[in-house]
Amino acid sequence: MIDRPAVVRPPAAANGSPPTASRPEPTVLPAFPWPPPRYSAFALLERAWLAPQEPATLGRAAQHLEDAFDLAGYVERSYYRVPGGFALASRAEKIHPDASPFAPPARWSADSAGAGRSFLERITALFNAPPGRYRVIVFVVTDQDFAATPQPPSEAVAREWVGGGGLRLPPSIAAQAYSAEHYASALIYEFARRDEREAGQVRAPSDVPGRVHLEKGGLWQALAQ
């Protein structure tokens, strides 16, 4: 008689059925630099804009921000993870000294092939852009207090950032409550290039307040709807 190897069966679950295979861990959303690098200007957003009804969640807040970006013509953005929430970064745009954007296609001349590119790549593109002023807007939703680092982002720092922001907010973050401790702010990064041989430098502070940046870009009005 041939000895057959014993069949090893997985232990039954508590309800008598075989255990299901464990699901793989979800992809981790890339982290935005924390605390954020020094910015040119900022503005706090009204809670009612992002949490107009209960139950308020980070996912609903993110959807309101996406809708505002769409209404204002910012059709590309990237999600990043921050402590207690998320960051949503815009595509780099060329602006006038009063913070109003150039009309397309000049508005996006810093990144004419921006679709699918990461926040790192978009910031780095500023250092190869024609002379002028450029702006990146980063919405930060968090329940953590923060103060910007003393130094603004430079080309060297930007190249060290982990590229590849998420196209959407992961369900694990979207399902979290937008609690009473959560708040939203817009961080404005304004860069200036004086000539094609000079790296772009952040203007800190900007000549224009953060709210005006949002108004000129159409975002303040879109959020307030």
Side-chain angles (χ1 to χ4, degrees):
M1 180 180 293
I2 300 175
D3 292 332
R4 298 181 182 277
V7 177
V8 179
R9 300 182 183 280
N15 60 5
S17 60
T20 57
S22 60
R23 294 181 179 180
E25 289 294 324
T27 302
V28 176
L29 199 64
F32 190 75
W34 197 261
R38 186 183 179 191
Y39 35 82
S40 307
F42 75 94
L44 295 177
L45 308 183
E46 296 287 342
R47 177 180 174 84
W49 295 349
L50 304 187
Q53 59 186 6
E54 299 296 335
T57 65
L58 295 184
R60 288 185 177 181
Q63 187 60 59
H64 286 298
L65 293 175
E66 286 195 21
D67 291 344
F69 267 147
D70 287 340
L71 286 172
Y74 298 81
V75 295
E76 297 165 7
R77 54 263 177 169
S78 294
Y79 278 103
Y80 289 83
R81 173 173 45 88
V82 302
F86 66 89
L88 185 59
S90 78
R91 181 176 172 181
E93 59 182 327
K94 189 173 185 179
I95 61 173
H96 296 285
D98 68 350
S100 60
F102 277 62
R107 181 179 184 180
W108 310 114
S109 61
D111 185 14
S112 59
R117 299 179 68 181
S118 70
F119 181 64
L120 166 62
E121 291 170 326
R122 292 169 185 174
I123 288 291
T124 303
L126 293 173
F127 301 98
N128 299 315
R133 296 191 184 191
Y134 299 88
R135 174 176 62 204
V136 171
I137 298 173
V138 182
F139 288 120
V140 176
V141 177
T142 181
D143 60 2
Q144 305 291 313
D145 294 327
F146 66 87
T149 60
Q151 296 297 321
S154 66
E155 181 175 14
V157 171
R159 289 186 183 278
E160 294 176 359
W161 291 349
V162 177
L167 297 180
R168 66 167 187 161
L169 196 64
S172 59
I173 298 178
Q176 296 177 22
Y178 190 101
S179 69
E181 287 73 36
H182 278 87
Y183 65 103
S185 56
L187 309 183
I188 314 299
Y189 291 93
E190 181 185 343
F191 294 82
R193 296 201 76 213
R194 297 183 179 180
D195 60 60
E196 295 181 353
R197 296 169 296 177
E198 180 182 283
Q201 300 294 324
V202 70
R203 295 176 59 87
S206 171
D207 297 334
V208 180
R211 174 170 173 170
V212 175
H213 274 281
L214 297 183
E215 289 175 340
K216 293 291 187 178
L219 287 166
W220 189 270
Q221 301 88 318
L223 287 166
Q225 288 187 4

